[in-house]
Amino acid sequence: MSQPLPRILITANPGPTQRQFLGTLSTDAPKTVELFLSLLPYTQKLIHVRWSGEALWIPLGSDPKTTSKFLALPHENNTSHPAPGHFLLYPGGVSETEFLWAYGGCSFSSKMGQLAGNHFLSVDGMNEQGVSEDLRALGVGVLWEGNVGVRFEIASGEMIEKYREERRTKRREDGPRL
C-alpha cells in the first residue's frame, strides 16, 4: 500500500499581512504531484494572469534547459476550467510552462488560445459557493497591488495544527455571519 500524500502549506505574502492556505494533493495526477513535491520547499512570486480571468500565475519560462522535466509530463486530470482554489501545472508546449491558481471564474488560456493544465493541488476550506474569502482577497490584492511572494512546503502535523488554530481564532474574532 502506498504512503498517503502529504498536505501542503501555502504562504502568500510572507510577513505580518501573510495569508496561509492548506492544500490537498490530487491522487489523479501522480506524475505531476511527484514532480511538484521534488520542488519543495518552493518559493516564487505570484502575479495576476493576463488572459484567463480570476487566477494567479507563476511563469516557469520556456527555456527547454529548465523546463524539460515539465515537458515530459503526461496529461493528468487536466482541465481548462479550474474551480476556485485549484492549482494547475501547464507543462508547456503551445505556451510557456506555468502554474495557475484560480481564485474565481477562470478559463485557462494564452494569446495562443485555450490551454489545459494538470490539476494537482486544491486549497482546503472553500465555502458552499466554492470560494475562500482569504483566497479571493489575495487574488484581488495581487490584481490591484502587484505581485507577492509565495512559499509552498510540506506541512508537518505541528504546522497543520497551528494553521487550524489560527483559523478557529479568526472565526471567533470575526463573530457570527449574518
Side-chain angles (χ1 to χ4, degrees):
M1 186 170 187
S2 64
Q3 293 283 353
L5 291 170
R7 304 297 297 285
I8 303 300
L9 183 65
I10 306 149
T11 304
N13 200 21
T17 61
Q18 76 182 12
R19 295 183 187 277
Q20 287 193 314
F21 305 90
L22 199 57
T24 301
L25 294 162
S26 173
T27 57
D28 294 330
K31 293 195 181 306
T32 305
V33 166
E34 182 181 355
L35 190 146
F36 179 72
L37 289 172
S38 76
L39 301 173
L40 301 181
Y42 183 69
T43 302
Q44 192 49 270
K45 295 279 188 185
L46 287 170
I47 60 177
H48 204 276
V49 297
R50 294 182 277 195
W51 310 98
S52 301
E54 295 178 318
L56 303 171
W57 180 47
I58 300 173
L60 300 169
S62 54
D63 180 353
K65 286 185 248 171
T66 57
T67 60
S68 61
K69 61 186 167 192
F70 298 103
L71 290 168
L73 284 173
H75 293 288
E76 298 181 305
N77 199 27
N78 61 329
T79 184
S80 293
H81 302 282
H86 287 185
F87 281 86
L88 304 182
L89 171 58
Y90 177 71
V94 175
S95 187
E96 70 182 297
T97 303
E98 60 192 86
F99 289 111
L100 183 96
W101 185 8
Y103 69 86
C106 180
S107 179
F108 186 30
S109 58
S110 72
K111 63 184 175 184
M112 301 303 291
Q114 195 75 29
L115 301 173
N118 295 348
H119 170 220
F120 70 97
L121 176 66
S122 298
V123 168
D124 301 347
M126 305 305 273
N127 68 17
E128 315 68 63
Q129 290 79 35
V131 178
S132 155
E133 290 179 25
D134 279 345
L135 179 54
R136 179 132 196 98
L138 172 64
V140 171
V142 171
L143 173 64
W144 292 106
E145 297 168 25
N147 73 64
V148 298
V150 65
R151 179 177 171 85
F152 299 86
E153 58 193 316
I154 294 174
S156 67
E158 184 179 308
M159 294 163 90
I160 292 169
E161 188 50 44
K162 182 179 177 192
Y163 169 85
R164 289 178 177 157
E165 182 55 37
E166 287 172 357
R167 293 280 156 233
R168 286 189 290 270
T169 300
K170 185 177 187 311
R171 280 195 298 273
R172 282 192 299 269
E173 289 172 355
D174 290 348
R177 296 182 191 234
L178 302 177

